[in-house]
């Protein structure tokens, strides 16, 4: 099949804009070929673009032979441009169709396709991710990424309205912040460097300069687990605020989550319908369970976790069944939280750390940070880290104000908003233990 150039042809309308009002007008539409049919006296095909679909109908008696032959050549998912006249008809799905005068095959799809984007032939997730370019053409994929887009827009808008400025911090770094075992090494000229696990240390320093900062960026975790909620490259929304404590940033997080859910419900009705998902906007204030409360609830439900241990996945699942919707877990043991988290003044074995859960899924974690230089050095040592490796960080933290913040996983938030069970569905090209391509 010959590949034709777009040349002087430009799209005049999206398919959704083709309405009976345009009757008899000449239009140019561009998109992907769907089903092609030959029904005795007519040949027709569906053209889909980002807005929807329109039927292109060629009555055999009235259409040029060459054009009819071209329709026969069309393969599903090929990119085409169609010039033609709008005709009002009861036969077409939207009461309107286009009678073509010219069809240009901009890029033909070779057959068989590695995947059926219409989903009539079911494929497993691995096959879908291998052919992600086609998989993302499915209406469900488009719905997920539109929801992700609108959630992020709502979040950016919320933070900017609350006087945050957006920043970008380095992704090639010299030290771990979350846990040394989960670092990806990269070669940095004659030295070893790492991919950043979190903008944590930079955002803390920035509170001394800009007071309220946020960043939306990649975080890299060399975690070995292969689970439906872990990625090796994720997107984190991070904030850090000067002159506040954990309670204040939990209020911000609560407001922001409510806004994201409300905006998605308002702006993505069609997308939620495609996914068959009806999210409820969480109500403020979110329940705030202490770590001890969580352990007690779990024990009553038959799951015993020794004090001081993190909640393993089965315990999170159980807790998510007991406490519905969004809730915080606060007052975590200091020993299981990172070095930068502030111990509680009156009980240092506990910390001013929190996690935001959505049912069984951890969406965010954060806390009040250590701003006191000596305490920071002491906590680094307690965690078995060498303060010398943080020398320049400590230097940059001079007289940084008391501050607090959190990191919220955008991929997991998208799971919660879309009712998706596997985080890979919410990431364009996921990176996991086994997957580095496409
Ligand atoms: P934490 O490590 O809890 O905290 O990460 C914050 C949030 O990021 C998301 N997330 C992940 N999502 C998918 N796959 C992963 N492997 C993954 N790891 C993390 C989660 C998680 O709740 N510096 C702190 C944040 C802070 O205190 O400001 C941090 O990185 O949704």
């Amino acid at each position: 099949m010959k590949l034709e150039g777009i040349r002087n042809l430009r799209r005049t309308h999206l398919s959704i804009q083709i309405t009976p009002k345009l009757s008899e007008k000449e239009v140019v539409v561009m998109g992907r070929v769907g089903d092609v049919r030959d029904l005795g006296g007519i040949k027709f095909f569906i053209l889909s673009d980002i807005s929807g679909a329109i039927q292109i109908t060629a009555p055999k008696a009235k259409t040029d032979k060459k054009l009819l032959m071209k329709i026969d050549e069309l393969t599903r998912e090929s990119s085409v441009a169609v010039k033609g006249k709008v005709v009002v008809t009861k036969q077409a799905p939207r009461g309107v169709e286009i009678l073509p005068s010219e069809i240009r095959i901009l890029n033909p799809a070779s057959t068989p396709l590695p995947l059926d984007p219409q989903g009539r032939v079911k494929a497993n997730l691995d096959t879908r991710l291998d052919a992600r370019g086609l998989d993302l053409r499915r209406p469900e994929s488009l719905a997920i990424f539109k929801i992700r887009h609108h959630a992020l827009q709502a979040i950016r808008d919320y933070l900017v309205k609350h006087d945050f400025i957006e920043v970008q911090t380095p992704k090639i770094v010299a030290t771990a912040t979350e846990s040394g075992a989960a670092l990806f090494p990269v070669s940095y000229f004659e030295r070893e460097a790492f991919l950043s696990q979190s903008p944590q240390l930079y955002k803390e320093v920035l509170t001394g300069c800009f007071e309220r900062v946020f960043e939306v960026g990649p975080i890299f975790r060399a975690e070995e687990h292969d689970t439906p909620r872990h990625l090796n490259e994720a997107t984190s929304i991070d904030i850090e605020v000067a002159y506040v404590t954990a309670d204040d940033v939990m209020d911000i997080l609560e407001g922001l989550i409510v806004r994201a859910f409300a905006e998605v419900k308002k702006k993505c009705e069609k997308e939620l319908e495609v996914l068959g998902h009806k999210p409820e906007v969480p109500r403020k204030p979110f329940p705030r369970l202490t770590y001890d409360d969580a352990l007690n609830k779990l024990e009553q439900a038959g799951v015993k976790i020794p004090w001081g241990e993190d909640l393993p996945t089965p315990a999170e699942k159980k807790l998510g069944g007991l406490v519905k919707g969004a809730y915080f877990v606060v007052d975590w043991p200091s020993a299981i939280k990172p070095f930068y988290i502030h111990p509680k003044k009156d009980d240092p074995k506990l910390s001013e750390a929190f996690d935001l859960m959505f049912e069984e899924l951890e969406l965010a974690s954060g806390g009040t940070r250590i701003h006191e230089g000596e305490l920071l050095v002491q906590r680094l040592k307690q965690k078995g880290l060498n303060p010398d490796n943080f020398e320049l960080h400590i230097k940059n933290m001079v007289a940084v104000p008391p501050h607090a913040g959190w990191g919220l996983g955008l991929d997991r938030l998208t799971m919660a908003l879309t009712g998706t069970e596997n985080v890979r569905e919410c990431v364009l090209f996921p990176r996991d233990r086994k997957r580095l391509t496409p």
Side-chain angles (χ1 to χ4, degrees), residues 72-90:
D72 286 338
E73 278 180 53
L74 292 177
T75 50
R76 287 208 0 232
E77 293 304 316
S78 296
S79 287
V80 295
V82 176
K83 190 186 216 178
K85 199 171 73 177
V86 177
V87 174
V88 177
T89 166
K90 288 208 176 75

Side-chain angles (χ1 to χ4, degrees), residues 7 65 129 206 214 315 342:
R7 300 196 302 274
K65 284 251 154 30
L129 291 175
L206 292 174
F214 80 98
H342 213 293

